[in-house]
Amino acid sequence: MNTLTKLALGLMGQLKPQPAAADAAQTVPLPAAQRRGGRPLFEALMQRQSQREFSPGPLSPQQLADVLWAAAGINRPDLGGRTAPSALNAQEVEVYAAMATGLYRYDPPSHALVRVVAADVRRVTGYQDFVDTAPLDLVYVADHARMKLVPAAQREAFAFAAAGAMAQNVYLCCASQGLAAVIRAWFDHRALGEAMGLGADHQLLLAQTVGLPAAQT
């Protein structure tokens, strides 16, 4: 679906998810993230870039696991510490994965995906046309109920800072592994919030598309 069509549907309140591609399990365990390999950090920084052309082919389970762990995985199990910082360790930003098989929430403690919507919401995650068919659209959502120790006036800024750190982790993971990624903030907040079933305490922050570069088709 092209951008103009999405804009028109959004104005009419008709930008909706599609049926999921196939039945999928409610919980999807992920393989352990790789802790070694890939390009070294400074090479990944040199390769980090935004790409907007993707192969429609799915990511492998290992690639999916690595991307999600990079975004919000637990790297210090004894402390429950994660790969990205958050103010007062509120861990208020949740990562959702929109795929052809449904919308999932990444659960860091179990390193698994939990399906929250049995529909393909990828087209609603952005006005760009490539989001409809790329294999993975991440959505970063702040749960303000977790930020009770943060002054209300600062919660949004803190959440955006945390989401930005997560998104950069994903960029570096993708650069290290030869994947394509692009961060996005242009989407219909109302339509996406409805499609995801978000509550009053939730705030949509950013989206990020990940996949194989189009040249690898």
Side-chain angles (χ1 to χ4, degrees):
M1 183 185 298
N2 63 41
T3 297
L4 289 178
T5 300
K6 288 187 180 185
L7 287 168
L9 290 174
L11 289 172
M12 296 186 292
Q14 295 298 315
L15 186 57
K16 305 290 184 182
Q18 292 184 298
D23 290 338
Q26 185 66 28
T27 302
V28 181
L30 297 167
Q34 298 183 90
R35 308 301 170 90
R36 294 177 175 82
R39 293 189 177 100
L41 174 60
F42 283 93
E43 288 186 22
L45 285 168
M46 286 293 296
Q47 294 294 324
R48 193 222 64 81
Q49 61 181 304
S50 292
Q51 295 175 266
R52 296 171 177 81
E53 295 183 2
F54 301 87
S55 165
L59 298 175
S60 70
Q62 187 65 65
Q63 289 169 327
L64 181 61
D66 292 348
V67 165
L68 290 167
W69 184 84
I74 294 177
N75 64 354
R76 289 153 291 156
D78 54 332
L79 300 174
R82 299 191 185 178
T83 57
S86 65
L88 301 175
N89 199 31
Q91 299 180 354
E92 73 280 7
V93 179
E94 296 186 316
V95 182
Y96 289 79
M99 300 184 290
T101 52
L103 176 72
Y104 299 81
R105 179 181 57 81
Y106 175 57
D107 181 57
S110 63
H111 188 54
L113 288 171
V114 179
R115 192 170 69 174
V116 294
V117 177
D120 181 356
V121 306
R122 290 178 297 172
R123 66 162 51 170
V124 194
T125 68
Y127 286 119
Q128 300 90 339
D129 56 0
F130 59 80
V131 309
D132 299 26
T133 55
L136 176 65
D137 288 308
L138 300 175
V139 184
Y140 299 93
V141 178
D143 182 356
H144 287 274
R146 299 183 185 178
M147 304 179 75
K148 298 186 185 302
L149 297 178
V150 178
Q154 295 178 295
R155 291 175 185 174
E156 183 174 16
F158 284 15
F160 269 109
M166 291 175 162
Q168 178 70 341
N169 282 1
V170 169
Y171 263 125
L172 293 176
C173 175
C174 290
S176 178
Q177 297 193 9
L179 299 175
V182 61
I183 191 72
R184 304 183 284 100
W186 190 37
F187 49 81
D188 186 323
H189 285 72
R190 180 199 57 79
L192 184 54
E194 289 181 0
M196 296 177 67
L198 298 180
D201 286 329
H202 291 89
Q203 180 187 6
L204 288 162
L205 300 171
L206 299 167
Q208 190 171 23
T209 302
V210 175
L212 294 171
Q216 294 188 17
T217 55

